[in-house]
Amino acid sequence: MSALISEVVYRGIFQKNLAARIVRGIVLSARKSDRWGIAFGRYGDSPQRNGIPAKDFAIVADTKEELEQNMARYEPKHVDVTICIDDTLSKGVESWAWYGLQPINRLTVPNGTVLMTSLQSVDDLLGDIHQKDAPWKLSLIRAKTSFSGLWVYKEDHTEVRVLGALAKIAPSFLTLDAVCQAIKEMEWGSDLKAASARKAYERLETREIKPGAGNPETPYSFEMPRWWEMREGVTIPAIPIGKPKEGGKGYVPERNPYFKKFTTRTMRPVIDFDTCVKCNLCWIACPDSVFDVMPDGTFDANMEACCGCGVCEAVCPVESCITMVNESVFNDHASQWEMWRKDKAAYKVWLTDKIGNKKATVRSHGFRFRGQYEEELKADLDAGGVAITAGIPGENAKHKTV
Ligand code: SF4
Ligand code: SF4
């Protein structure tokens, strides 16, 4: 008797439908392999917010009894496979359900697998993924991170590629034939998608990771009060007034000390302080009070607070003064303004390198211009995808038209 426990770590809302399809696909493929299965979301992750890391789980077992045994737990404490569908989450996860930073491989059992969609090299990813004291495997599906708009699904075959890869990782629970059969029978499936699953199975890259390899940083954590230490009654204190900076020439707003939002972003703003006209618009529009007012009147985005929404880039009136850049090309959360103050010429070189990186500045989600999503969908259809309305799980799909 045995069971296969998988978690899907995804970005709230943008990848909700994708994650739901993956765990559902796992269960249906397991049934085709004569196993039992169940899929569910983590209660503490709801309601979701844009970009917030969230989890779904799928459990497959040889027998009904064993499945029930696993279902009796509130949520799995250990998983055989961690499926990560945005590689910037390799830096760690801070969700609604978790205080502090949870390494992406925290629940992965010894000799278990982290399955990730990524175009990065294994070594680059290991610079971000925290080390473990047991061996584990990193399996890569070479694919761009799949993001949709809110509540919809981008038809780029990511879900079936993950299912095909899982058949390679755990063939005793999901055979490739069972996965393909399940895909073809699902309302969003097709022969083309079954072919994508087979390709992912054949092309999966796996590397064994030794104990101690990876990011040596100790993940930050918070000491939360015990229930008997909490105050009586329910009060929510207002955010205190911020602090002056450098003798009152600047200002640093107060922020939530227990929730650092940098794991909610896939992109971060990079600012050209030389071209900033000090219009205040980014400061006013930022939904998370991320900008510190600097002594010279420019604004520095605090990287421990930014959720990566891209609003500041959209409102900034100066061309290329704020540019959103993919999180994977950064190794720290240091102040950009301090870097600029210290050495303006060196900052210019750094900035030009970051915002000139065409791959890293392609928007992973959110829009740069009206009609962008329609263009992306058309490109997907031209590449062999199917109409998005065919891909919305649930009965209402058939009532919708393109
Ligand atoms: S992307 Fe810009 S607007 Fe959005 S949270 Fe970060 S700094 Fe604020
Ligand atoms: S919106 Fe742009 S120009 Fe205006 S203060 Fe912010 S960075 Fe400077």
Side-chain angles (χ1 to χ4, degrees):
M1 283 218 314
S2 59
L4 176 80
I5 305 177
S6 311
E7 60 175 350
V8 180
V9 190
Y10 66 96
R11 294 220 174 265
I13 301 188
F14 296 115
Q15 297 186 314
K16 186 182 176 68
N17 265 314
L18 171 59
R21 282 174 183 233
I22 292 170
V23 287
R24 186 157 175 250
I26 293 173
V27 172
L28 293 177
S29 303
R31 290 300 295 139
K32 297 286 174 202
S33 300
D34 291 326
R35 299 293 189 290
W36 294 89
I38 186 169
F40 53 97
R42 181 162 66 176
Y43 177 75
D45 284 336
S46 224
Q48 292 172 20
R49 193 187 132 162
N50 297 0
I52 202 96
K55 286 189 184 191
D56 278 351
F57 296 98
I59 302 175
V60 173
D62 284 345
T63 63
K64 260 187 182 178
E65 291 68 30
E66 192 166 9
L67 184 67
E68 277 171 19
Q69 213 175 51
N70 278 289
M71 281 161 56
R73 297 193 186 105
Y74 179 63
E75 71 174 51
K77 295 274 181 283
H78 304 286
V79 300
D80 301 291
V81 184
T82 296
I83 299 167
C84 172
I85 45 180
D86 176 5
D87 59 358
T88 60
L89 287 164
S90 59
K91 292 187 174 186
V93 177
E94 190 183 4
S95 72
W96 283 158
W98 183 269
Y99 295 100
L101 190 74
Q102 181 178 37
I104 189 70
N105 54 4
R106 182 176 175 273
L107 300 191
T108 320
V109 295
N111 297 312
T113 303
V114 175
L115 171 62
M116 202 176 269
T117 52
S118 182
L119 295 174
Q120 295 188 61
S121 70
V122 170
D123 290 335
D124 282 349
L125 289 165
L126 282 179
D128 292 332
I129 302 176
H130 294 80
Q131 50 184 222
K132 278 177 91 72
D133 54 13
W136 56 284
K137 296 184 201 84
L138 179 59
S139 290
L140 297 179
I141 298 169
R142 291 301 180 187
K144 236 171 63 179
T145 299
S146 176
F147 272 113
S148 70
L150 305 184
W151 311 116
V152 293
Y153 175 70
K154 192 169 180 177
E155 194 60 84
D156 58 6
H157 295 205
T158 298
E159 87 282 53
V160 292
R161 297 174 84 186
V162 168
L163 294 173
L166 199 57
K168 182 118 184 203
I169 294 167
S172 53
F173 291 96
L174 313 172
T175 64
L176 182 60
D177 284 345
V179 165
C180 292
Q181 205 186 336
I183 289 169
K184 282 196 251 182
E185 286 178 20
M186 277 186 262
E187 74 271 28
W188 40 263
S190 65
D191 287 339
L192 189 64
K193 294 185 100 172
S196 286
R198 284 189 189 279
K199 267 193 201 147
Y201 178 94
E202 286 156 18
R203 294 180 182 169
L204 188 69
E205 292 170 34
T206 298
R207 172 100 70 93
E208 309 239 349
I209 312 295
K210 292 200 168 62
N215 179 357
E217 153 200 274
T218 304
Y220 61 83
S221 58
F222 303 109
E223 218 27 75
M224 300 306 287
R226 313 276 175 209
W227 66 265
W228 62 87
E229 294 166 345
M230 291 182 184
R231 290 167 298 165
E232 281 183 24
V234 178
T235 56
I236 300 174
I239 296 177
I241 293 173
K243 296 180 197 70
K245 186 177 174 71
E246 299 190 11
K249 285 192 233 140
Y251 174 76
V252 179
E254 199 64 46
R255 303 185 173 99
N256 184 338
Y258 302 115
F259 181 52
K260 297 188 185 298
K261 281 163 277 180
F262 53 71
T263 68
T264 68
R265 64 171 180 258
T266 298
M267 303 189 91
R268 68 164 73 173
V270 170
I271 300 162
D272 188 346
F273 301 98
D274 286 321
T275 59
C276 170
V277 295
K278 306 175 186 175
C279 69
N280 284 15
L281 283 174
C282 55
W283 189 77
I284 294 167
C286 174
D288 282 71
S289 308
V290 167
F291 287 96
D292 294 343
V293 185
M294 306 318 278
D296 65 347
T298 59
F299 296 86
D300 189 25
N302 183 307
M303 284 303 122
E304 289 203 349
C306 171
C307 67
C309 68
V311 166
C312 51
E313 183 198 54
V315 298
C316 179
V318 181
E319 197 181 342
S320 302
C321 179
I322 300 183
T323 308
M324 296 301 286
V325 181
N326 194 277
E327 186 61 29
S328 60
V329 301
F330 302 96
N331 298 321
D332 59 34
H333 304 290
S335 160
Q336 294 174 15
W337 189 85
E338 291 296 351
M339 206 193 320
W340 172 76
R341 168 151 83 171
K342 198 166 146 214
D343 186 340
K344 295 195 170 50
Y347 185 76
K348 193 82 189 163
V349 172
W350 180 86
L351 173 108
T352 309
D353 173 56
K354 294 297 184 223
I355 71 175
N357 182 336
K358 287 212 163 55
K359 274 193 195 149
T361 51
V362 172
R363 263 301 170 92
S364 52
H365 56 298
F367 305 120
R368 279 209 159 105
F369 54 88
R370 192 178 285 262
Q372 181 185 335
Y373 198 51
E374 282 79 0
E375 280 186 20
E376 283 180 11
L377 284 174
K378 186 173 175 316
D380 282 351
L381 285 174
D382 292 346
V386 298
I388 194 156
T389 47
I392 299 172
E395 294 175 354
N396 63 347
K398 59 180 176 294
H399 301 304
K400 300 194 176 193
T401 52
V402 182

